[in-house]
Amino acid sequence: MPFPSVDDQDPPGWQLPLLLFAGFRSLIDELHAHLATRGHPDVRPVYGFAMQAIGVHGASASEVGRRLGVSKQAAGKTIDRLDALGYVERVDDPRDARSKLVRLTPRGVDCLQQSAEIFERLRADWVAQLGADRVRVVESSLRTVVPSGIFPVDVPGWFG
Amino acid sequence: MPFPSVDDQDPPGWQLPLLLFAGFRSLIDELHAHLATRGHPDVRPVYGFAMQAIGVHGASASEVGRRLGVSKQAAGKTIDRLDALGYVERVDDPRDARSKLVRLTPRGVDCLQQSAEIFERLRADWVAQLGADRVRVVESSLRTVVPSGIFPVDVPGWFG
DNA sequence: TAGTATCGACAACCACGTTGTCTAAACCGT
DNA sequence: ACGGTTTAGACAACGTGGTTGTCGATACTA
């Protein structure tokens, strides 16, 4: 018996990443479906992560890049699109003439607040389907197993 | 009490997608770290999904696109790169002069076999950390909650 | 004060996705 | 058997997100 810890009844190992991704994707898709009906039809998943990285207090483009785990140039491009969509604005940083502070507009703040509410509802949907204990097991298991700390969100570049 | 199903002890809803993604990402990263030490250093995550879609029997580019949930043009481009890397080859389809059959080379088959073995080991690592029952709960919970059937893998385009 | 580090901007490039157009071949109903 | 429709794959143009490299201006520091 070469693999004593693997039960024959268990699914093959390659299903695990697929299931995790499918769960992630379905949550994000549902988020954006709801967001679209609440005045935010053109927000892409990346934009949500970027706004989260900007935060309510604002941040510089370089800082956003650091938080997202991407280069400052990549962060700058995303901020450009967020700016064009009216979700952020750039203002001069009074404490550093090189830097510009990226701040969420009221529209950006609204998007973030709505996202938080929608995620709360989506988690509640999972609880309704699985029971509170199973959802907690999923969460705590993942917390145990993922390397803590890091959180790079350069999904397109990382994956492809 | 507006949210009777939500316990105050529960984590905020936005953590769930982040944890799922972190789990997915850590598995994929570990897969490619192992793959790199076994003769496949330049395989990107997308390539693995594409080779999986091609399968051991081969498939046309259009069929690969359908299985992956992307356009035939996008599938064709990915196959180009796989071809350049020596993981697949295109041969004329004897039964359809329009079509070319994309087949895995021995190198491609090897990559797929190694991936399956590595995923098995990674799942065994999770079992060692969490116990077999918790891993099964994670898997069955996700199976319950994700919409079945569909599986689009157009990650970069979808996310960004 | 001089040297170094960082900011943001710009350019060039790559990867992955899209839509649209085109030719050739297969399929199907008359 | 033929003619219209569908499908395969190639090619082009483009959008978006990532990269590196360069640059001038500003801040930090020895």
Side-chain angles (χ1 to χ4, degrees), chain A residues 46-47 70-71 73-74 77-78 81 96-98 154 156:
Chain A
V46 208
Y47 299 166
V70 302
S71 66
Q73 292 90 334
K77 281 194 198 180
T78 300
R81 270 136 213 159
D96 190 335
R98 297 169 302 176
D154 57 331

Side-chain angles (χ1 to χ4, degrees), chain A:
Chain A
M1 251 221 228
F3 296 112
S5 64
V6 174
D7 190 322
D8 282 350
Q9 310 297 352
D10 279 333
W14 53 263
Q15 287 198 5
L16 198 44
L18 260 38
L19 286 166
L20 292 166
F21 175 71
F24 171 69
R25 171 152 190 161
S26 73
L27 286 174
I28 298 293
D29 281 345
E30 290 183 66
L31 166 71
H32 284 91
H34 286 282
L35 239 28
T37 69
R38 300 199 196 179
H40 300 288
D42 39 21
V43 188
R44 312 298 312 270
V46 208
Y47 299 166
F49 284 91
M51 286 190 274
Q52 202 72 47
I54 292 164
V56 289
H57 301 302
S60 71
S62 293
E63 179 58 29
V64 172
R66 259 177 253 121
R67 291 179 187 170
L68 252 30
V70 302
S71 66
K72 58 181 181 176
Q73 292 90 334
K77 281 194 198 180
T78 300
I79 291 168
D80 284 344
R81 270 136 213 159
L82 247 17
D83 193 348
L85 256 15
Y87 285 99
V88 304
E89 60 183 359
R90 289 185 223 237
V91 300
D92 287 329
D93 187 336
R95 296 174 310 183
D96 190 335
R98 297 169 302 176
S99 183
K100 284 181 182 167
L101 194 61
V102 181
R103 278 193 315 207
L104 296 171
T105 61
R107 181 172 174 74
V109 173
D110 179 72
C111 183
L112 238 36
Q113 284 175 342
Q114 303 242 35
S115 296
E117 289 171 23
I118 293 165
F119 276 136
E120 221 55 67
R121 287 198 41 189
L122 293 176
R123 207 197 100 109
D125 290 345
W126 281 38
V127 168
Q129 283 185 70
L130 301 170
D133 51 345
R134 280 200 194 79
V135 175
R136 285 195 208 105
V137 168
V138 170
E139 287 168 333
S140 67
S141 298
L142 289 169
R143 248 189 295 272
T144 301
V145 117
V146 304
S148 63
I150 61 116
F151 207 94
V153 201
D154 57 331
V155 180
W158 161 73
F159 197 74

